[in-house]
Amino acid sequence: TQWLISHQEKDGSWYGRWGVCYIYGTWAALTGLTAVGLPTNHKTLQKGANWLLSIQNEDGGWGESCSSDRLQRYIPLGGSTPSQTAWALDALIAVHPQPTAALDKGICRLIDSVKEDKWTTVYPT
């Protein structure tokens, strides 16, 4: 727990190596920290959730460029991917005990993406 808390970025995100990159890392950290019992009102969890909400796309989803890995900072994709939207939603649901407008909008975006066949549905994440 302490290692994760101490490795949170100043903006509230975490870097994640196995997925692209800051959305994935923040998802893993938030869901992991809540799974081990860190209270959802803990400042670390709230800061991570607020970061995710701050990068939510206008369409309700989330998307991060592969350039984030090379540049070692969050780079928006300019579109929402299903996997990154699902990671962000899972993390936010772990932290928020009640539905919110942002969660509802994200869930609608994820459902709509199932029917789509465009570049964001195949972008590597």
Side-chain angles (χ1 to χ4, degrees):
T1 302
Q2 286 306 314
W3 186 90
L4 274 177
I5 291 171
S6 69
H7 282 79
Q8 187 175 31
E9 302 285 335
K10 286 181 177 31
D11 64 9
S13 68
W14 281 267
Y15 177 79
R17 180 50 105 177
W18 294 101
V20 177
C21 285
Y22 292 90
I23 294 174
Y24 176 83
T26 303
W27 161 75
L30 291 177
T31 57
L33 288 168
T34 58
V36 298
L38 196 66
T40 57
N41 65 350
H42 191 280
K43 67 179 180 179
T44 298
L45 297 179
Q46 291 301 310
K47 191 173 181 180
N50 287 338
W51 178 78
L52 283 172
L53 292 169
S54 77
I55 63 160
Q56 186 174 20
N57 291 330
E58 188 64 35
D59 68 2
W62 284 262
E64 180 176 1
S65 170
C66 291
S67 297
S68 291
D69 185 51
R70 183 173 46 81
L71 298 174
Q72 297 289 294
R73 62 184 172 84
Y74 171 75
I75 305 294
L77 180 60
S80 298
T81 69
S83 58
Q84 292 168 331
T85 297
W87 294 334
L89 285 168
D90 191 36
L92 290 168
I93 288 167
V95 173
H96 290 283
Q98 298 295 319
T100 67
L103 285 171
D104 290 347
K105 193 171 182 181
I107 290 167
C108 289
R109 169 84 300 258
L110 187 58
I111 291 168
D112 288 346
S113 72
V114 172
K115 302 174 266 183
E116 295 173 347
D117 182 24
K118 56 186 190 174
W119 71 272
T120 54
T121 61
V122 296
Y123 187 82
T125 59

